[in-house]
Amino acid sequence: MKEELSKSKNVVSELQSKLADTEKSLKETKDSYVKDVEELKKKEADLASMETRLIDVTARLKEMEKKKSDEILDSFVEGFERAALQAKFIAPGVDFSELDPGKIVRDGKMVEDDDVAEDEAENI
């Protein structure tokens, strides 16, 4: 009986030791999980911030592209007006009222620039 009691005490002692190790491991796992959850929340907040910044940058880029397009158009119109004024200066008696920045000369006629682009696209 004493032997059995001694064996039982040894088994209980081993089991208690294993239980303590398991509890320690479980606590470490839980602590790691809590830390991972906190890091994930931080990364989610960072991602949301980056998404907001990306939207802002995209909006600014579109605005800059529109401004660039407007500046190019303004520059074209200004150049056309300068050329028309120079032509009127060189030939003051000539009627330049038919000048149109949206037209080109094709086959001896003034035609819309868009029509020419469409005709060329059909010929391709």
Side-chain angles (χ1 to χ4, degrees):
M1 272 276 194
K2 284 187 177 186
E3 264 183 48
E4 283 183 27
L5 184 59
S6 177
K7 285 181 183 180
S8 294
K9 284 183 181 182
N10 286 340
V11 169
V12 168
S13 178
E14 287 178 22
L15 290 174
Q16 285 176 338
S17 176
K18 286 182 181 180
L19 178 61
D21 290 343
T22 303
E23 286 175 341
K24 180 181 176 185
S25 175
L26 183 60
K27 184 181 182 315
E28 290 172 356
T29 302
K30 182 180 175 185
D31 292 344
S32 176
Y33 173 77
V34 168
K35 182 180 174 184
D36 290 345
V37 167
E38 288 173 4
E39 287 180 15
L40 180 60
K41 286 180 183 178
K42 182 181 177 192
K43 288 181 181 181
E44 286 174 342
D46 290 346
L47 180 60
S49 173
M50 284 185 208
E51 287 175 354
T52 301
R53 289 193 327 225
L54 180 61
I55 290 169
D56 290 344
V57 168
T58 302
R60 278 191 264 151
L61 179 62
K62 286 182 181 179
E63 184 179 319
M64 289 172 62
E65 287 174 349
K66 183 172 180 352
K67 284 181 182 178
K68 180 181 174 185
S69 177
D70 291 346
E71 287 174 6
I72 291 170
L73 182 61
D74 290 346
S75 198
F76 172 77
V77 169
E78 184 180 335
F80 181 82
E81 289 172 356
R82 285 181 178 183
L85 288 173
Q86 290 175 20
K88 288 176 186 177
F89 175 77
I90 292 170
V94 178
D95 178 20
F96 291 101
S97 63
E98 289 189 44
L99 286 178
D100 185 340
K103 293 186 177 183
I104 63 169
V105 177
R106 182 171 187 209
D107 298 327
K109 297 178 186 174
M110 294 273 285
V111 295
E112 290 292 328
D113 193 18
D114 294 339
D115 294 342
V116 172
E118 288 176 11
D119 290 345
E120 289 175 359
E122 289 175 6
N123 291 333
I124 294 179

